[in-house]
Amino acid sequence: MCGITGWIDWNRDLTKDSDNLERMTDTLAPRGPDAAGTWISAHCALGHRRLSVIDPENGAQPMIRYTGDDKYVVVYNGELYNAPELKRELVSRGRSFTTNCDTEVLLVSFMEWGRACVERFNGIFAFAIWDVAAQELFLARDRLGVKPLFYSKQNELFIFGSEPKCILEHDAVKAEVGAEGLAEVFIIGPARTPGHGVYKAISEVRPGQCIVVNHVGVKTITYWKLQSSPHEHDVEQTAEQVRTLLKDTVERQLVSDVPVCTLLSGGLDSSALTALAVDYYKKNGQSNVHTYSVDYRDNDKHFQAHAFQPNSDAPWIERMTSHLGTIHHPIQFDTPELVAALKDATFARDLPGMADVDASLLLFCHEIKKGATVAISGEAADEIFGGYPWFHREEALNANTFPWSLATSMRGELLAPDIAKWIRPEEYIGDRYADAVAEVPLLDGENEVRKRMRRMSYLNITRFMPTLLDRKDRMSMAAGLEVRVPFCDHRLVEYVWNIPWEIKSAGDREKGILRKALTGILPQDVLTRKKSPYPKTHNPAYLAAVQGLLLDVLNDPSSPLLPLINVKKVRELVESDSAKSNIPWFGQLMSGPQLFAYLYQVNLWLTKYNVSIK
């Protein structure tokens, strides 16, 4: 993977502004530690940082190609998993290639098919192509939004980048946040409304969208979205098709010129991907698969099962590594490391995030990077197959709001009264929920149960899943590690989207059809293991540490967080017994300790980025 940035300015000669481009590009160095490149012309500047995965010798960017006298320049972050097929078709159409990298396939695809090229891509990507003759910039983001892409439109300026930090580095962009941005942070966060960049001047290219920038203006085009259609297969046929699609996408995503590993928790999703990887490696005479897992020192002593985290991973990881014969690397962190990493995790996201859930993943990725450059991970299975608790609980299904964020009133009460009045917490989240529900592509003739579950699936795919994909991208790329997510293959998502709920939950189990599809691939006890989320620390030392961090913020009159919160209520909460609560205020993992860490991250973000509230 890589990092991309650049901008268009119709009123200036950008060849005199190379210092600005170099600074913007340098902010993305962790995403691309292997090489850097820039390209600049009168009105277009492009920057790139490279993490070499395919054809390391020849894939330098920005890449330039010609059709006759017409010149095209690309900066690209991602992987095309169907690059070999596309390349063969392009060669048959008279196109030639000088490298083996998918960057050239992507660029030549654009030269051949224009904007419609994105409809042919199977992969994860964010890219920008400058058509010199047309004086037009074309940007696109993959269908599920695995790879990030942000932009800022200011008069005759159009600035873009993989992360907000590179856009904020441009002289024309200020770190300003208004009422909507604060509502995103304090009420929606650590999620974000699709398209919202939190900063006033920054927006996000939504998944499945592309943008055209030329002298006429800026035009946004949606090239992909979920579409509802009748499901024609029975249970057995559905399980077979899921198995076929998953096997194909895993095998495509194992292709690399550098070491590939898998992240293994012993749960259904990661175990399935690892088993398929082991089978593929054996068939192709490759060496054993390396697997990695994460845990926390003394977690076995402090773990207590509860509704949102029913069991620990360790015994299940051992079960799968023994069964598959992988070379396993258990990674473990202690509380001081976890607390210290909250800072780097905030800077990696350019926003407050999922507290220790982010921090531990960042540390984990740094450790994996010592032995691998590419990892396979199980994100998105719960969203597309219906694995989360809120798919199966009446109170969540009937909540009339985002089911992973049921604590709006509590969160609102922690705000300063004037801030709460300004951002209108209940109204804001209600509007965002209504927007999401209005997008759901319903299918005529479906009964109420199917409609309700389709709506829940849509909310998860378009509103919750992006939070985890953001987290995985920022934390992994901050460590220079590429993480691939096979369950985000758009063919699999499109197929599973239209599976009726009674088939999707076959056997009266969460992700029932996936379990059925994996029969014979996984041991029976792993197939039936109850879902347990990404592990978090249960060490009371972590709670004490983040309480101390937040109290330091509250006791410092210069803390920029203080004017935004009800200091008295927050202090009471920090010092109360309810601080130990396992009841989440966001998702399954973020309860009392994570709330304190999140507020600490908010203060850190306001300070580090010198955020102005306007």
Side-chain angles (χ1 to χ4, degrees):
M1 295 301 167
C2 306
I4 65 173
T5 190
W7 79 99
I8 299 291
D9 189 338
W10 302 117
N11 293 333
R12 293 187 59 205
D13 181 357
L14 296 185
T15 59
K16 301 175 182 178
D17 206 2
S18 58
D19 287 347
N20 212 1
L21 179 58
E22 295 284 354
R23 291 198 316 273
M24 293 167 67
T25 305
D26 285 347
T27 66
L28 299 172
R31 295 186 72 92
D34 296 331
T38 59
W39 183 89
I40 198 162
S41 65
H43 299 302
C44 177
L46 302 174
H48 185 266
R49 293 291 313 203
R50 187 181 185 206
L51 176 66
S52 299
V53 173
I54 302 291
D55 197 1
E57 296 298 320
N58 300 305
Q61 297 185 46
M63 181 177 284
I64 302 170
R65 291 293 180 270
Y66 293 86
T67 294
D69 293 331
D70 293 340
K71 183 177 183 179
Y72 302 85
V73 190
V74 66
V75 286
Y76 160 54
N77 167 32
E79 296 286 346
L80 291 187
Y81 303 127
N82 66 333
E85 297 99 308
L86 289 171
K87 187 173 183 177
R88 286 193 293 271
E89 182 174 358
L90 289 163
V91 168
S92 74
R93 298 170 72 93
R95 297 287 179 175
S96 60
F97 292 83
T98 61
T99 76
N100 292 316
C101 67
D102 60 337
T103 304
E104 188 177 22
V105 174
L106 182 141
L107 180 54
V108 175
S109 294
F110 177 80
M111 294 159 63
E112 179 70 24
W113 295 301
R115 301 172 189 175
C117 66
V118 292
E119 298 172 13
R120 297 172 178 263
F121 294 159
N122 178 341
I124 54 179
F125 52 83
F127 65 86
I129 296 176
W130 176 242
D131 181 336
V132 176
Q135 291 288 283
E136 183 172 278
L137 185 72
F138 178 73
L139 305 99
R141 190 177 182 205
D142 66 72
R143 296 169 179 82
L144 276 302
V146 178
K147 291 289 101 182
L149 188 57
F150 295 88
Y151 69 95
S152 179
K153 174 70 174 73
Q154 300 188 36
N155 300 319
E156 295 299 300
L157 277 175
F158 182 90
I159 309 163
F160 71 91
S162 294
E163 298 177 5
K165 57 172 60 67
C166 57
I167 299 175
L168 290 169
E169 190 64 31
H170 193 284
D171 294 338
V173 183
K174 307 300 179 188
E176 296 177 349
V177 174
E180 281 199 14
L182 287 182
E184 290 288 314
V185 169
F186 285 107
I187 304 304
I188 301 291
R192 274 187 302 106
T193 300
H196 208 300
V198 177
Y199 299 94
K200 263 188 171 183
I202 298 179
S203 300
E204 178 188 44
V205 181
R206 289 186 64 167
Q209 286 190 340
C210 48
I211 293 181
V212 178
V213 184
N214 53 33
H215 284 284
V216 176
V218 177
K219 181 180 181 181
T220 299
I221 302 165
T222 298
Y223 72 88
W224 182 87
K225 57 185 177 181
L226 288 168
Q227 297 184 1
S228 297
S229 59
H231 184 73
E232 304 295 343
H233 293 163
D234 62 23
V235 174
E236 296 299 330
Q237 293 169 324
T238 301
E240 179 59 32
Q241 181 67 2
V242 168
R243 182 165 49 249
T244 298
L245 286 169
L246 187 59
K247 182 174 182 290
D248 179 71
T249 190
V250 169
E251 292 182 355
R252 288 176 182 273
Q253 296 190 27
L254 287 170
V255 175
S256 174
D257 291 337
V258 295
V260 179
C261 67
T262 72
L263 310 187
L264 179 63
S265 70
L268 182 72
D269 313 328
S270 67
S271 296
L273 300 183
T274 303
L276 291 171
V278 167
D279 184 60
Y280 178 78
Y281 270 40
K282 285 180 179 178
K283 286 179 181 177
N284 287 275
Q286 294 175 256
S287 58
N288 288 354
V289 172
H290 286 251
T291 52
Y292 289 79
S293 63
V294 63
D295 207 345
Y296 309 91
R297 190 160 297 165
D298 294 332
N299 235 22
D300 54 337
K301 298 178 182 176
H302 302 291
F303 177 82
Q304 291 184 344
H306 55 86
F308 296 99
Q309 199 153 19
N311 49 51
S312 62
D313 288 337
W316 297 96
I317 294 169
E318 184 177 354
R319 171 78 171 96
M320 282 306 301
T321 56
S322 298
H323 175 71
L324 295 173
T326 65
I327 301 171
H328 189 62
H329 308 264
I331 308 297
Q332 197 172 81
F333 303 115
D334 205 355
T335 296
E337 299 169 90
L338 203 54
V339 173
L342 288 169
K343 288 184 179 181
D344 287 342
T346 305
F347 305 153
R349 264 200 199 248
D350 298 311
L351 289 167
M354 296 185 75
D356 58 305
V357 184
D358 277 3
S360 63
L361 180 58
L362 178 59
L363 293 170
F364 188 31
C365 289
H366 275 294
E367 290 299 312
I368 297 168
K369 176 66 176 178
K370 294 175 182 178
T373 304
V374 178
I376 303 291
S377 184
E379 267 75 17
D382 287 306
E383 287 85 353
I384 69 170
F385 285 100
Y388 290 121
W390 45 77
F391 277 91
H392 308 275
R393 295 179 178 174
E394 285 297 320
E395 69 273 17
L397 288 166
N398 298 321
N400 204 33
T401 189
F402 300 115
W404 52 84
S405 191
L406 301 177
T408 301
S409 58
M410 180 275 286
R411 296 177 71 166
E413 290 169 359
L414 298 181
L415 295 172
D418 58 330
I419 297 297
K421 184 177 180 181
W422 189 33
I423 71 175
R424 307 168 290 110
E426 298 282 356
E427 187 177 342
Y428 187 82
I429 200 168
D431 289 345
R432 298 294 76 78
Y433 177 74
D435 292 342
V437 169
E439 295 172 7
V440 180
L442 295 175
L443 184 63
D444 290 343
E446 285 194 318
N447 61 35
E448 288 305 312
V449 171
R450 287 189 177 183
K451 284 182 181 178
R452 182 170 73 165
M453 300 316 297
R454 189 179 290 277
R455 182 169 61 245
M456 178 63 81
S457 294
Y458 188 86
L459 292 175
N460 278 264
I461 292 169
T462 66
R463 296 308 193 271
F464 189 73
M465 192 167 79
T467 309
L468 302 188
L469 294 177
D470 277 357
R471 164 181 173 258
K472 186 54 65 76
D473 174 83
R474 302 307 190 282
M475 299 309 121
S476 62
M477 294 309 298
L481 177 73
E482 175 187 324
V483 176
R484 298 174 178 177
V485 282
F487 285 106
C488 283
D489 183 287
H490 72 276
R491 301 166 304 160
L492 180 64
V493 173
E494 288 170 349
Y495 182 76
V496 177
W497 163 250
N498 283 306
I499 298 174
W501 183 249
E502 62 270 22
I503 296 180
K504 202 176 287 187
S505 56
D508 199 25
R509 283 296 310 271
E510 72 278 7
K511 296 191 287 193
I513 195 64
L514 179 59
R515 296 177 195 274
K516 188 172 182 62
L518 295 170
T519 300
I521 295 174
L522 293 179
Q524 186 63 27
D525 54 343
V526 177
L527 269 179
T528 57
R529 182 191 174 191
K530 190 169 178 59
K531 174 179 171 49
S532 192
Y534 178 87
K536 69 174 183 178
T537 181
H538 298 272
N539 195 323
Y542 181 76
L543 171 60
V546 293
Q547 282 175 315
L549 288 176
L550 186 53
L551 285 171
D552 287 344
V553 170
L554 298 178
N555 292 332
D556 181 355
S558 67
S559 296
L561 177 68
L562 301 188
L564 306 177
I565 63 171
N566 185 324
V567 176
K568 181 181 178 183
K569 285 200 171 185
V570 172
R571 188 183 295 277
E572 288 174 353
L573 184 60
V574 175
E575 296 173 345
S576 70
D577 288 338
S578 60
K580 301 176 183 177
S581 168
N582 278 321
I583 299 175
W585 54 273
F586 182 85
Q588 300 175 87
L589 298 175
M590 301 188 71
S591 52
Q594 287 70 38
L595 176 60
F596 306 147
Y598 184 73
L599 291 174
Y600 164 75
Q601 284 190 311
V602 174
N603 188 75
L604 185 66
W605 165 66
L606 293 167
T607 303
K608 171 72 174 179
Y609 288 75
N610 195 24
V611 176
S612 299
I613 309 298
K614 294 186 176 182

